[in-house]
């Protein structure tokens, strides 16, 4: 790792040792963005290299939450899940902090906006510590290092506009990490292997999650019996398989069957239809019980004045964000009542995260749904996001009827037969 990257992530007034035995402010920002709380013992259980990487991720303009989460899996004891804590408003400094600074150390909006996100987070963190310890020197020391450095920096030079890029290229550029991190890939592989081992252990004799029915592959083999490849092909064709619809004597598929390599896809599609073509709830009783997780996101675009009133809690219907969070959680729990053919699931976790982005004039909504079951929780996460967005609209429509709910999408899922998946395109 480049030492310059690490140097940019640490502040002299933190007085953190070179081995980062105590959490630096940048690491605290990474944990807050990832919605994780880590004990000091857990932090020190990480190698020095991993601690440095977490700090560097926390210093980035946009924290790579996925990478931070993967690194934290190495901690013993592991992190606790909390609500995500976002950065302070990039436009207006917190009023309690400006009052605490007083006249000698005034902080106007223009200077505040020029700070790095980590600088703004560090000042807000220093303010909280100064209040908790009743020591104003903590905030003053942070201010005296951060603000003069930014105020004395030359204004940015004008540069020609970049060449037009496709949406995919723009997103790839926005999420590109500050450095290539082979350690993250190694930790991801180790974590995936550990998750697979736990899933196998749960299905072993004496495991917690036992199915009264044999695994799907075993049942499939018994049904096929001695029919060989012809019987397997007929079974893969779904409930509608009949004489004349199957492989020919030479083994080649007839025109009624999908091309080679598409059998699994066709089977997955046909499982939602009865033999007469009617929609039905899929029988998932033969599937393995595994830990499943889905993350979905969406946004509500609104006028800047609307969002400023929202941040100041000056809205006609009261607590907008708290109401939207509860609405999203309740909606996830009732997804099977709203979406036809969805299975009711024993949800182990539903988290709805709300981020008021005044600069981009939107409220970003993210939902995380988890379960240990035989089918996935994608619809629960998407339903939570949608209902939370609609609740925000309902709470604010009295002052802004031009709001737009948009970009409701699945970001990632894990667990089940298909394994992990993550959205790459914008």
């Amino acid at each position: 790792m480049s030492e310059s990257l690490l140097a940019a992530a640490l502040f002299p007034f933190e007085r953190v040792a070179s081995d980062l035995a105590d959490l630096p402010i940048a690491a605290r920002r990474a944990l807050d963005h990832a919605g994780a709380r880590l004990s000091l013992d857990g932090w020190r259980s990480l190698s020095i290299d991993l601690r440095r990487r977490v700090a560097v991720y926390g210093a980035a303009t946009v924290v790579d939450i996925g990478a931070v989460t993967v690194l934290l899996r190495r901690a013993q004891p592991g992190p606790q899940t909390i609500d995500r804590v976002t950065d302070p408003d990039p436009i207006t400094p917190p009023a309690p902090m400006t009052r605490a600074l007083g006249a000698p150390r005034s902080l106007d909006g223009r200077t505040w906006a020029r700070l790095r996100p980590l600088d703004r987070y560090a000042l807000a963190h220093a303010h909280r510590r100064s209040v908790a310890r009743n020591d104003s020197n903590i905030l003053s020391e942070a201010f005296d290092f951060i603000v003069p450095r930014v105020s004395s920096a030359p204004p940015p030079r004008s540069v020609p506009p970049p060449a037009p890029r496709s949406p995919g290229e723009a997103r790839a550029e926005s999420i590109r990490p500050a450095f290539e991190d082979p350690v993250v890939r190694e930790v991801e592989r180790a974590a995936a292997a550990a998750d697979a081992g736990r899933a196998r252990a749960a299905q072993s004799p004496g495991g917690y999650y036992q199915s009264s029915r044999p695994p799907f592959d075993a049942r499939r083999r018994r049904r096929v019996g001695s029919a060989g490849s012809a019987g397997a092909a007929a079974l893969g064709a779904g409930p509608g398989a009949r004489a004349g619809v199957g492989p020919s004597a030479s083994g080649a598929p007839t025109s009624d069957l999908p091309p080679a390599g598409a059998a699994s896809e066709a089977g997955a599609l046909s499982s939602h239809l009865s033999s007469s073509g009617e929609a039905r709830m899929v029988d998932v009783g033969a599937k393995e019980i595994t830990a499943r997780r889905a993350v979905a996101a969406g946004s509500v675009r609104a006028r800047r004045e609307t969002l400023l009133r929202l941040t100041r809690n000056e809205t006609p219907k009261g607590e907008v964000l708290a109401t939207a969070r509860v609405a999203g959680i309740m909606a996830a729990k009732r997804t099977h009542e709203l979406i036809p053919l969805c299975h009711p699931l024993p949800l182990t976790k539903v988290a709805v995260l709300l981020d008021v982005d005044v600069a981009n004039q939107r409220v970003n909504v993210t939902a995380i749904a988890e379960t240990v079951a035989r089918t996935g929780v994608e619809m629960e996460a998407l339903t939570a996001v949608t209902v939370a967005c609609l609740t925000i609209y309902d709470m604010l429509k009295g002052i802004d009827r031009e709001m737009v709910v948009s970009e409701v999408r699945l970001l990632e899922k894990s667990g089940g037969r298909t394994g992990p998946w993550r959205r790459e395109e914008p």
Side-chain angles (χ1 to χ4, degrees), residues 411-423:
L411 297 183
E412 62 181 81
K413 57 83 63 177
S414 61
R417 177 179 57 83
T418 58
W421 173 89
R422 176 173 293 182
R423 177 178 294 275

Side-chain angles (χ1 to χ4, degrees), residues 28-38 65 68-69 72 79-85 349 353 368:
R28 294 179 184 276
R29 178 171 178 255
L31 290 170
D32 280 349
H33 278 250
R37 176 180 294 147
L38 192 63
I65 297 175
V68 173
T69 303
L72 294 180
Q80 297 178 344
T81 301
I82 62 172
D83 289 339
R84 280 178 52 203
V85 180
K349 172 185 176 181
L353 313 174
I368 303 171

Side-chain angles (χ1 to χ4, degrees), residues 28-323:
R28 294 179 184 276
R29 178 171 178 255
L31 290 170
D32 280 349
H33 278 250
R37 176 180 294 147
L38 192 63
S39 67
L40 188 58
D41 290 338
W43 171 253
R44 291 175 178 174
S45 71
L46 297 173
S47 67
I48 297 177
D49 184 62
L50 293 184
R51 294 180 215 165
R52 291 179 175 179
R53 292 178 188 277
V54 173
V56 170
Y57 277 122
T61 301
V62 178
V63 178
D64 189 335
I65 297 175
V68 173
T69 303
V70 169
L71 293 176
L72 294 180
R73 290 180 182 176
R74 287 286 185 91
Q76 293 295 332
Q80 297 178 344
T81 301
I82 62 172
D83 289 339
R84 280 178 52 203
V85 180
T86 56
D87 293 332
D89 183 357
I91 299 176
T92 306
M97 186 179 68
T98 56
R99 288 195 297 268
L101 288 169
R105 295 181 174 87
S106 60
L107 183 60
D108 55 55
R110 183 176 181 181
T111 303
W112 176 257
R114 292 185 63 187
L115 298 176
R116 297 180 304 164
L118 177 60
D119 293 334
R120 290 191 288 266
Y121 179 91
L123 286 172
H125 175 73
H127 176 239
R128 289 193 296 269
R129 289 190 62 210
S130 67
V131 172
R133 301 190 179 188
N134 194 25
D135 185 358
S136 60
N137 290 330
I138 298 175
L139 176 59
S140 300
E141 189 176 10
F143 178 93
D144 291 343
F145 175 80
I146 294 173
V147 175
R149 181 188 58 181
V150 175
S151 301
S152 61
R157 295 176 297 176
S158 60
V159 296
R165 295 180 296 172
S166 68
E169 292 173 332
R171 174 160 178 83
E173 180 68 24
S174 66
I175 64 175
R176 182 175 298 151
F179 53 89
E180 291 297 328
D181 196 348
V183 173
V184 171
R185 291 193 293 272
E186 177 187 348
V187 175
E188 285 178 335
R189 288 193 295 268
D195 291 342
R198 284 192 292 269
R200 288 192 298 270
Q203 296 297 324
S204 63
Y208 287 103
Y209 304 107
Q210 291 294 313
S211 171
S212 60
R213 308 178 68 175
F216 176 75
D217 288 342
R219 296 176 66 238
R220 182 186 180 97
R221 286 194 293 271
R222 287 203 297 271
R223 289 174 63 187
V224 172
S226 60
S229 59
L235 179 62
R242 60 189 184 277
V245 183
S248 63
S250 63
T254 66
S255 58
D256 290 334
L257 289 177
S264 61
E265 181 179 356
L269 293 175
S270 65
S271 64
H272 290 265
L273 301 175
S274 67
S275 58
S276 59
E278 298 174 343
R280 66 178 183 180
M281 178 180 282
V282 178
D283 181 4
V284 299
K287 290 186 176 181
E288 293 185 1
I289 295 178
T290 62
R292 299 169 184 265
R293 182 175 187 268
V295 182
S299 63
V300 181
R301 296 204 310 270
R303 295 197 301 262
R304 184 174 183 274
E305 295 78 8
T306 303
L307 299 181
L308 289 176
R309 290 183 61 175
L310 174 59
T311 58
R312 296 193 297 263
N313 199 24
E314 297 174 356
T315 54
K317 291 190 177 182
E319 287 285 348
V320 176
L321 300 182
T323 305

